[in-house]
């Protein structure tokens, strides 16, 4: 329970959850994107464009493939029976070493469910699952301008370890 609200989670069913996954994944991608994208179009236009692209099937294919590894975390989180978030963690055993990394590929909370502690709870679940599955470290990334996500990661004990730069040569046509 959280402030009288029932928060639950369950393993993803790729076919049943398809539309929910698309919605939550597109939110995570858009709000972690480059400033040139978020300043040039609305989320709705971005989502509509993304839903018509081959990227949707690529996303589902990668998720489905990762589910073959029993360590994979792929959970839909709900609030009072309504889908509120999605977390997806994949594992990689680094060749030639005794190191397993866990990567959070998606951590998305729907707009109507933000600031309720769901993202923090999903991340804590991802951390616990990664530890229990033998990972040496858990990695997560976001766009530099996604301050709410960055703040959450720091609060959970993550530290910045890499900085990535972008040099845009040609601004893509707006969506």
């Amino acid at each position: 329970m959280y402030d009288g609200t029932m928060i639950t989670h369950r393993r993803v069913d790729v076919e049943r959850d398809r539309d929910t996954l698309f919605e939550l994944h597109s939110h995570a991608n858009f709000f972690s994107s480059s400033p040139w994208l978020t300043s040039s179009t609305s989320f709705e236009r971005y989502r509509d464009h993304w839903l018509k692209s081959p990227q949707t099937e690529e996303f589902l294919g990668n998720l489905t493939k990762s589910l073959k590894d029993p360590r994979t975390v792929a959970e839909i989180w709900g609030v009072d029976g309504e889908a509120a978030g999605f977390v997806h963690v994949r594992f990689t055993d680094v060749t030639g070493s005794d190191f397993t990394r866990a990567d959070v590929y998606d951590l998305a909370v729907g707009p109507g469910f933000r600031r309720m502690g769901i993202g923090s709870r999903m991340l804590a679940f991802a951390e616990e699952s990664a530890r229990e599955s033998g990972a040496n470290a858990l990695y997560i990334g976001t766009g530099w301008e996604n301050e709410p996500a960055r703040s959450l990661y720091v609060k959970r004990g993550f530290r910045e370890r890499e900085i990535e730069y972008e040099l845009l040569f040609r601004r893509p046509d707006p969506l």
Side-chain angles (χ1 to χ4, degrees):
M1 286 289 209
Y2 180 81
D3 293 342
T5 302
M6 178 64 75
I7 297 176
T8 59
H9 59 93
R10 62 170 174 75
R11 183 94 164 157
V12 163
D13 177 325
V14 175
E15 287 307 311
R16 180 176 74 152
D17 296 324
R18 180 184 181 97
D19 292 340
T20 298
L21 291 167
F22 286 163
E23 186 70 17
L24 291 169
H25 181 74
S26 62
H27 266 280
N29 276 0
F30 180 76
F31 293 103
S32 294
S33 289
S34 295
W36 63 262
L37 176 64
T38 56
S39 68
S40 66
T41 192
S42 67
F43 165 71
E44 291 75 17
R45 287 186 62 152
Y46 169 82
R47 179 193 56 218
D48 293 346
H49 176 79
W50 185 76
L51 287 172
K52 294 174 188 166
S53 79
Q55 293 176 38
T56 56
E57 293 308 315
E58 182 180 340
F59 162 70
L60 285 183
N62 288 336
L63 175 59
T64 300
K65 182 179 176 184
S66 77
L67 288 169
K68 293 177 182 171
D69 181 342
R71 301 172 297 182
T72 294
V73 174
E75 301 274 323
I76 295 285
W77 286 63
V79 173
D80 292 334
E82 188 176 347
F86 167 59
V87 61
H88 179 207
V89 181
R90 297 189 328 202
F91 292 78
T92 304
D93 300 311
V94 179
T95 305
S97 73
D98 185 27
F99 190 86
T100 298
R101 67 179 283 152
D103 290 277
V104 179
Y105 274 79
D106 270 302
L107 182 85
V109 178
F113 301 98
R114 295 185 181 141
R115 313 249 355 121
M116 295 175 65
I118 295 168
S120 183
R121 290 175 70 165
M122 287 194 303
L123 191 51
F125 180 80
E127 292 169 31
E128 181 181 332
S129 298
R131 262 192 216 96
E132 289 177 0
S133 294
N136 296 85
L138 180 64
Y139 297 84
I140 191 166
T142 191
W144 184 255
E145 293 186 356
N146 190 345
E147 185 56 40
R150 292 177 54 229
S151 176
L152 170 62
Y153 306 155
V154 169
K155 284 179 191 172
R156 295 286 322 158
F158 286 79
R159 65 177 180 80
E160 292 177 15
R161 68 169 210 52
E162 189 172 90
I163 297 173
E164 188 173 300
Y165 293 89
E166 174 182 76
L167 177 59
L168 190 62
F169 293 118
R170 182 180 58 85
R171 189 181 189 102
D173 292 332
L175 302 179

